[in-house]
Amino acid sequence: MKTSPVMTRRRLLRAAGIAVGGAWIARTSRTFAAGAPKSSSLAIGLLRNPVSGLIAVTEEKGWFKSAGVDITSITFSGAGGPKLIQAMGGGSVGLGSVSATAALLALAANAVPLRIVSISTDPAPAFALLSAPDIKTMPELRGKRVATTAGTGLQYFLARALRKFGMSLGDIEFVNLPVGDAQSAFLAKRVDAVVPSLNGRYYIEGLRKDTHVLFSHDDFTKPPGPTTPFEDYDVFVAPRSIVDGNAPALRAFLAAYHGKGVPYLLDPSTQPAAIAEITRYVNAEQKSPTDEAAMRRQLLASGFFDVAKARAILGSDAFRAGLDDQIRFFVETKRIPAPIPLDAVIVRDLLGA
């Protein structure tokens, strides 16, 4: 876990006139009008993913400050969602982006009284089940070794894919491994199929050229079997105490992220610059080397939403149904003991009118 005020070091560098790492770091300090909103403070938990890169770019542009919030950050390495939520329980983090799965498991464990306050991204369109070239159809997975990480959205994706063909995890030899180890096992041909991470998918497809995409996100809406879309968003979560006691900071953060950062990424005229800046952030700050082409694939395969769209998703029946279905899966697999009441968990009034 790495603790640092977000961009404080960079502000000092800018004030001293030192150019470090190009324009994404060395920017002229902004002078805000006297009528600018008074800033609140908010501690953000960051994982090593593109959402954190977009948060960093939004901060670099001065959009959080302009909206009325000063942010500090704590970066969590590895599969840091549970660690981030644990830090919320300790009071050192007030907001973070985690998978819906991590949020649900934390709620089930009564670890932290979390609230889901927005949608940070939708990584699910990039999810895929990859197989060896001799496995051409889902039924051919029966009895095969399939690897991913138990208790994650990736395992849920696998279970939902199997369900479409009248199968379950009991019909395969499920190999529970950390996702990096699962990907290595597939590359080494020790398992027959894998559900990789987003970055891992492109890494595998680049190294093992005979990899077959056996099942992808779009296949959920095609026959055979149920055609219910697959819903598994990453969500912004905050402890109830922050929602109750620091709502202005949360509103300001979400207004800047969805209202400024996301449009900067999605606008064709600024998208190349945004992707380049996020790539530089991931390489320099997160020490997770990637190239701009791979980052572009990951970002454009995922969903990012402006204020109106995020608000619509958060209030939609499909979002609630997706959470309920995932809860049922984890109850059935005994990851959680009982259903989770969601009525008080989803907070819709921090995204504006």
Side-chain angles (χ1 to χ4, degrees), residues 99-102 105 123-124 127 148-160 195-196 220 230-234 326 329-330:
S99 68
T101 301
L105 293 177
F127 286 8
T148 197
T149 309
T152 66
L154 301 177
Q155 186 195 29
Y156 174 56
F157 177 91
L158 172 62
R160 278 283 309 273
V195 183
F220 281 107
F230 180 79
E231 302 270 351
D232 190 25
Y233 295 96
D234 282 2
Q326 194 165 172
F329 167 71
F330 286 118

